[in-house]
């Protein structure tokens, strides 16, 4: 990560899928940037919500649910 905002990394961040160094940079940035922190709060529960679905639910797609 080289400066700027981190919105594009937030999906991977909430799923704990970033390398440790990049994870730390995102966490540090979130502590300083209201814009990115707000975006983070919008996606922070994604992993928890995804856990509510079965593999069949996810494979079905939204039109089949």
């Amino acid at each position: 990560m080289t400066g700027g905002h981190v919105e594009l990394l937030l999906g991977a961040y909430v799923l704990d899928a970033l390398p440790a160094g990049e994870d730390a940079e995102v966490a540090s940035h979130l502590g300083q940037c209201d814009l990115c922190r707000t975006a983070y709060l919008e996606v922070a529960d994604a992993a928890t919500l995804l856990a509510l679905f079965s593999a069949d639910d996810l494979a079905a797609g939204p039109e089949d649910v």
Side-chain angles (χ1 to χ4, degrees):
M1 188 180 94
T2 55
H5 296 288
V6 297
E7 291 106 326
L8 296 178
L9 298 173
L10 292 177
Y13 180 75
V14 300
L15 295 174
D16 199 25
L18 292 175
E22 199 166 24
D23 185 81
E25 289 181 36
V26 171
S28 175
H29 181 82
L30 292 176
Q32 303 169 24
C33 178
D34 290 337
L35 178 70
C36 290
R37 187 171 38 254
T38 298
Y40 165 75
L41 291 173
E42 292 174 359
V43 298
D45 291 330
T48 303
L49 294 173
L50 285 172
L52 298 175
F53 292 97
S54 70
D56 290 337
D57 292 333
L58 296 174
E63 64 278 348
D64 297 331
V65 176

